[in-house]
Structures are given as C-alpha cells and as structure tokens.
Amino acid sequence: MQSIYDIGTIERVPADSPARNRTITAPRHGKRVNRWCGMGAVSAITGCTTDLPALIIAKMRFWNDITPRDIARVKGTYTHEVAHALRVLGFEMTRIRQYDGQTFAKVCDDRKRDPNTAYLVAAAQHWMVVQGRYFADNQLGLLRCDEAHKRRGIVNDVHIVRRVRIVNDAAVLKFLRA
C-alpha cells in the first residue's frame, strides 16, 4: 500500500545558492492529481507537485492522523492556508494593497511591477501567480500575460512571495509526521 507521505521530492536547490526568488513554473500534478487552484499556486512558486501543499493543508485542517480521503477533501483554500503551505516550504508572502479592486488583466499589464518578483494573486475566488510577463494558472498552465485579458476577475488580494530559507525533503517530512 502506498503511504500518504509518498510526495515525490521537492525541487533540489544547491546549498550555496542565495535565498532568492525563483522563476515560476507551470503547476505540476502528482499521483493524486489535485487540480485545485491553491495547491497549483504553491506548486507554481515552489516547483513541487500539487500533492505536497494538499498534504500540508490537510495536516493543518485535520490535525491528527490524516488519510488519503482527507487529502482529497482539500479543495478551496483560504489565504492563511496557502501562506502556511508556503511557510513550511521556505517562502513568505507579504500583502500589498495597490491592486485592490482592479481586474487580474490590469495586474498583469502593470509595467511598474518588478519582473523578478513573484506575485500571488487572489481574484474571483481563484489563485494565480504572476512574475514578469508570465502568469501561472492551475487550469491553464503557464501563459504569457498577453493572454490574461480573458481573466476579468476582480482582485481581492495580492501578495509578494519571496524565499526566506531553503528546505529539504527531510525537514518537510519531519513536519508532516509530527
């Protein structure tokens, strides 16, 4: 029988690399194929599969021994749950207010954004990640911001995401089994 802790591996980062932002990727789906947007946003930022954030959030929600059924029940995510998953994986997010009430397309078109910074955007009850001229969406993958005109949802939250420490598989598994 497969263990629920069979999460694959976290993307390897050389030990001597500085703790800095990375380039976003298309969300990667693991064996459980969790296609919900909160887990996809964490996957796009960290490079892990969507199974790992689902496992971290399930551990946060259901506390004691979690089952594969509990992991499957992780669907909609709140801001504090996504922040917790990112914190466990070595990232922190800081809320900014300059985009409140605008559409997601306007956030993508803003030329004043730092192209090296990842922005986690909650718009119309959906999580997306923007960095430079690209955005990652769990349903569409990694797309150029030119194609964001179809995303008209009103922005609720925008967070700047940055790496604060480098974690390895052992540290995450220790947290999950605690």
Side-chain angles (χ1 to χ4, degrees):
M1 185 172 144
Q2 179 183 344
S3 166
I4 61 169
Y5 297 109
D6 182 17
I7 54 174
T9 57
I10 302 169
E11 182 181 352
R12 300 283 179 208
V13 178
D16 60 343
S17 76
R20 59 179 170 78
N21 287 330
R22 61 182 316 283
T23 304
I24 61 172
T25 60
R28 293 177 26 218
H29 303 290
K31 296 174 185 170
R32 293 181 189 86
V33 193
N34 187 321
R35 297 195 182 274
W36 293 88
C37 61
M39 280 59 78
V42 174
S43 172
I45 292 167
T46 63
C48 66
T49 64
T50 55
D51 291 342
L52 183 57
L55 191 58
I56 292 168
I57 292 170
K59 177 81 172 170
M60 180 183 175
R61 282 186 187 176
F62 307 116
W63 287 50
N64 50 6
D65 295 334
I66 50 178
T67 64
R69 185 169 174 243
D70 292 330
I71 296 168
R73 287 179 15 206
V74 175
K75 295 181 180 173
T77 51
Y78 294 99
T79 305
H80 70 277
E81 294 171 332
V82 172
H84 177 69
L86 285 169
R87 196 174 315 114
V88 169
L89 295 171
F91 291 80
E92 80 175 12
M93 50 191 252
T94 308
R95 186 164 193 257
I96 57 174
R97 297 187 181 273
Q98 71 189 60
Y99 299 108
D100 287 359
Q102 297 182 13
T103 63
F104 178 71
K106 289 202 176 178
V107 174
C108 277
D109 286 341
D110 187 6
R111 304 282 182 204
K112 297 176 193 151
R113 271 187 305 103
D114 180 13
N116 298 319
T117 302
Y119 293 85
L120 180 62
V121 181
Q125 298 180 353
H126 187 66
W127 291 100
M128 293 164 278
V129 182
V130 181
Q131 184 176 17
R133 302 305 313 150
Y134 291 91
F135 77 97
D137 183 335
N138 201 34
Q139 297 168 350
L140 304 173
L142 188 66
L143 297 171
R144 289 187 53 80
C145 281
D146 306 344
E147 301 173 46
H149 66 278
K150 298 174 186 130
R151 293 283 181 201
R152 295 192 182 99
I154 300 299
V155 171
N156 302 332
D157 290 327
V158 177
H159 302 270
I160 293 176
V161 179
R162 63 185 187 91
R163 175 174 276 154
V164 290
R165 71 183 187 289
I166 297 172
V167 297
N168 58 19
D169 297 345
V172 173
L173 285 174
K174 181 179 176 186
F175 164 80
L176 290 172
R177 290 188 173 140

